[in-house]
Amino acid sequence: MAKPLSIPSSDTQSQPLQWRAYYEMTKPKVVALMLLTVLVGMCLALPGAVPLQPLIFGLLGIGMMAGAAAAFNHLIDRRIDGLMARTYNRPLPKGRVSITKALTFSISLAVMGFVLLYTLVNELTAWLTFASLLGYAVVYTAYLKRATPQNIVVGGLAGAMPPLLGWTSVTGEFHGNALLLVIIIFAWTPPHFWALAIHRKAEYAKVDIPMLPVTHGTEFTKTCILLYTILLAIACLLPVLVGMCGPLYLVGSTLLSCGFIYKSWELKFDDKPGLAMQVFRFSIYHLMLLFIVLLVDHYLWV
Ligand code: HEM
Ligand SMILES: CC(C)=CCC/C(C)=C/CC/C(C)=C/COP(=O)(O)OP(=O)(O)O
């Protein structure tokens, strides 16, 4: 009988780390919050329960394509990632994953996600998700990020698509109400990212990425963050104005908007060390809680 293949301990030991590297490339925490917004888009599209097939395969397919987009981002940004303190430890700059394997992983994940959506959800969602992947991995990462300080405003549309993708997963068609959810995330993205960009200004300057604090200065960026949080507060009221949401959402979103405006006001007029990253972290909780309130309000209000 053939001797069982013995994998050298170092290879065995490296295998979990190898998969951990691929998992890290998919930006799991970002994709997780995106999938919450997908789920909310699905639930708000229908008065009753979401059918299991679009629910399971929509979340799976969109999650796979979003993870593939993030992995393409790692591949395209591997040089600058290796030069920045926040990203130098990532799999590609560290040589934990080769370029060929990263490309194969990204393409395979994207194709599997697309086929899943195309065959088990619907064509519209498959193509819209593919457009979001191109918007982030190519338009934003490969072009806008290096071309203009408005990079994340335009590139933010790709990241704002998930609630619309959830909506089309269960209806197979566009709806104005879904676009309101896209507008909310579109208005949320600039304060979300620019707060981090203020904290990481020197690193972006070192690798010649024209983030707003690098091209227009920290004070101008703080003013833009404050103005966008006011714009976001207005955008968050739109679902109430069109009768899509009820009083629970009105109260919850207003409290969250006031919190975001207050944090941004503090950043602009009473800055302290570490406050920019507090605003960045607040933005993540803001979006998560906002979409949770949308979900609870929907089932209380319907
Ligand atoms: C073009 C649009 C966006 C840009 C430029 C952007 C930028 C960033 C950056 C630079 C980070 C830090 C990542 C790290 O240090 O590993 C981050 C973290 C994060 N972003 Fe965004 N973001 C965008 C859109 C979004 C969207 C749409 C969502 C969710 C719906 C989101 C959710 C998150 C979360 C949850 C984190 C924390 C990740 C972690 O702690 O590992 N982002 N974002
Ligand atoms: C299919 C679909 C819904 C696609 C969305 C893809 C996606 C994962 C968007 C994430 C947005 C994000 C974290 C951008 C940061 O990129 P960055 O390069 O500015 O950040 P980094 O420097 O941390 O890599």
Side-chain angles (χ1 to χ4, degrees), residues 9-20:
S9 59
S10 58
D11 289 359
T12 322
Q13 204 276 328
S14 69
Q15 278 191 350
L17 289 176
Q18 183 72 10
W19 279 110
R20 198 178 297 166

Side-chain angles (χ1 to χ4, degrees), residues 29 34 86 90 140 152 159 188-189 192-193 280 284 287:
K29 290 182 187 173
M34 288 186 160
R86 176 175 62 84
R90 287 181 167 177
Y140 168 73
I152 60 102
W188 169 88
T189 299
H192 161 71
F193 173 68
F280 168 72
I284 294 166
L287 193 70

Side-chain angles (χ1 to χ4, degrees), residues 119-172:
T119 56
L120 296 174
V121 180
N122 58 59
E123 292 178 32
L124 176 63
T125 305
W127 288 115
L128 279 177
T129 308
F130 180 61
S132 306
L133 183 152
L134 291 181
Y136 175 60
V138 180
V139 177
Y140 168 73
T141 306
Y143 173 62
L144 286 175
K145 184 172 177 177
R146 291 154 170 78
T148 164
Q150 291 304 313
N151 43 24
I152 60 102
V153 176
V154 180
L157 182 59
M161 289 290 280
L164 174 62
L165 302 177
W167 195 289
T168 60
S169 293
V170 296
T171 66

